[in-house]
Amino acid sequence: MAIIIDGKTVSASVKNSVAEECRTLFEKTGKKPGLAVIIVGDDPASRVYVNNKKKACELVGFVSREYALPASTSQEELSALVKELNSDREINGILCQLPLPKHLDEKAVIELIAPEKDVDAFHASNVGKIMIGDFDFLPCTPAGVMEMLDYYNIEIAGKECVVVGRSNIVGKPMSMLLLHRNGTVTICHSKTKNLKEVCRRADILVAAVGIPKFVSGDMIKEGAVVIDVGINRTADGKLCGDVDFAEAEKVASYITPVPGGVGPMTIAVLMKNTLTAFKLQNLL
């Protein structure tokens, strides 16, 4: 049976470290890191995420500002708010909760956020820095996965790493972070041939495809580390990942559960990124 990688424990460790450094910096500067979160409309999942981010800010000692805008907000109104926050010296990180209502251009909003305040690391400038390995921030979910692997002392260098999924938010940056740590990386997607065979080569298998229980036990090499980034709901409303946990647990050496695996890490790394932004902007 696999060892369960406990995201709540690793997340608490990261947040405790951020809180400690935040206290030290406040004593030195009299300032606290500030995070602004913009939410447009009333998507229930987005509301849960925003509330959790607010709680995390309180826990680590950040200034937290929420901007809840109606679903009818125009592109011009949203852009004006982002520009205002870009020049607000009390705000070090800006996060616009996605998805946005369909009439709004997500790409335009992301590109409008000042790169030094882009704590999601979605801006093209930050994406380019990640590509060359000279970055200030990392996307929260892939960076959270790396924190988990490090916490459990899982070696990456020289390992066969397979990432299932090629999104800009998880799949692509995840593959780059594994590559920067000397993993041998394969990215799989809907056009990949012999997917099962490719997955079975993996020493570290990351599932980020957004399909419930897509990765079955027979797609996993004996003793592989299995990281499940997916968060899906079954027909009966229960949360599940992209991996069939019951099958995978019998084969893997380490595995992340859903919920309680990668999920808590995303917000922990957001706190870490906001602290980094604060330090960079204050030349600390």
Side-chain angles (χ1 to χ4, degrees):
M1 294 290 277
I3 294 168
I4 306 297
I5 297 176
D6 184 353
K8 291 177 182 175
T9 299
V10 186
S11 167
S13 170
V14 171
K15 285 189 278 194
N16 287 342
S17 173
V18 169
E20 195 175 312
E21 190 169 356
C22 186
R23 280 192 297 271
T24 302
L25 289 171
F26 181 70
E27 288 169 10
K28 183 178 175 182
T29 66
K31 297 178 184 178
K32 292 183 177 182
L35 176 66
V37 178
I38 302 168
I39 178 170
V40 185
D42 52 6
D43 179 72
S46 291
R47 172 43 63 194
V48 169
Y49 289 138
V50 168
N51 288 347
N52 287 340
K53 285 163 187 171
K54 200 185 295 183
K55 286 177 194 168
C57 283
E58 288 172 16
L59 181 73
V60 300
F62 289 1
V63 172
S64 172
R65 281 203 227 150
E66 180 188 312
Y67 295 84
L69 307 179
S72 58
T73 298
S74 69
Q75 191 80 35
E76 291 73 23
E77 288 168 328
L78 182 54
S79 296
L81 174 58
V82 172
K83 287 175 184 173
E84 184 185 313
L85 293 170
N86 278 342
S87 58
D88 188 331
R89 299 191 67 161
E90 284 187 5
I91 294 300
N92 308 108
I94 303 169
L95 184 148
C96 188
Q97 185 66 46
L98 304 179
L100 291 172
K102 287 189 167 54
H103 68 282
L104 295 172
D105 184 342
E106 290 184 357
K107 186 181 176 186
V109 174
I110 289 166
E111 288 303 299
L112 197 56
I113 295 171
E116 66 272 16
K117 294 191 177 186
D118 168 41
V119 286
D120 261 334
F122 291 165
H123 191 286
S125 170
N126 288 325
V127 172
K129 287 182 174 184
I130 292 160
M131 192 74 178
I132 62 173
D134 181 21
F135 45 79
D136 297 319
F137 315 114
L138 293 171
C140 298
T141 300
V145 170
M146 301 303 282
E147 293 274 358
M148 295 170 105
L149 293 173
D150 288 343
Y151 188 91
Y152 282 81
N153 296 313
I154 293 167
E155 183 63 51
I156 299 167
K159 296 294 177 67
E160 285 269 358
C161 305
V162 173
V163 179
V164 187
R166 54 176 167 180
S167 73
N168 291 333
I169 293 173
V170 180
K172 289 177 187 173
M174 186 77 253
S175 62
M176 288 310 305
L177 298 193
L178 291 166
L179 188 61
H180 289 325
R181 295 282 292 274
N182 299 314
T184 300
V185 183
T186 303
I187 307 173
C188 297
H189 45 78
S190 58
K191 299 290 190 291
T192 300
K193 294 179 180 177
N194 305 317
L195 179 63
K196 185 184 287 188
E197 287 76 8
V198 176
C199 289
R200 281 184 63 86
R201 294 204 309 258
D203 300 307
I204 299 172
L205 178 63
V206 181
V209 72
I211 301 172
K213 301 185 180 182
F214 178 79
V215 176
S216 53
D218 62 354
M219 294 170 71
I220 299 166
K221 174 181 170 182
E222 186 78 39
V225 175
V226 178
I227 306 292
D228 190 349
V229 181
I231 300 180
N232 313 291
R233 287 203 181 270
T234 58
D236 58 2
K238 289 184 178 176
L239 280 176
C240 73
D242 291 352
V243 175
D244 187 323
F245 184 86
E247 290 185 9
E249 189 186 17
K250 297 171 188 170
V251 186
S253 59
Y254 290 85
I255 190 169
T256 60
V258 176
V262 175
M265 294 306 305
T266 301
I267 291 176
V269 174
L270 175 65
M271 299 299 106
K272 191 173 179 180
N273 282 353
T274 304
L275 179 63
T276 299
F278 172 77
K279 291 193 289 187
L280 288 169
Q281 290 161 40
N282 288 279
L283 305 175
L284 297 169

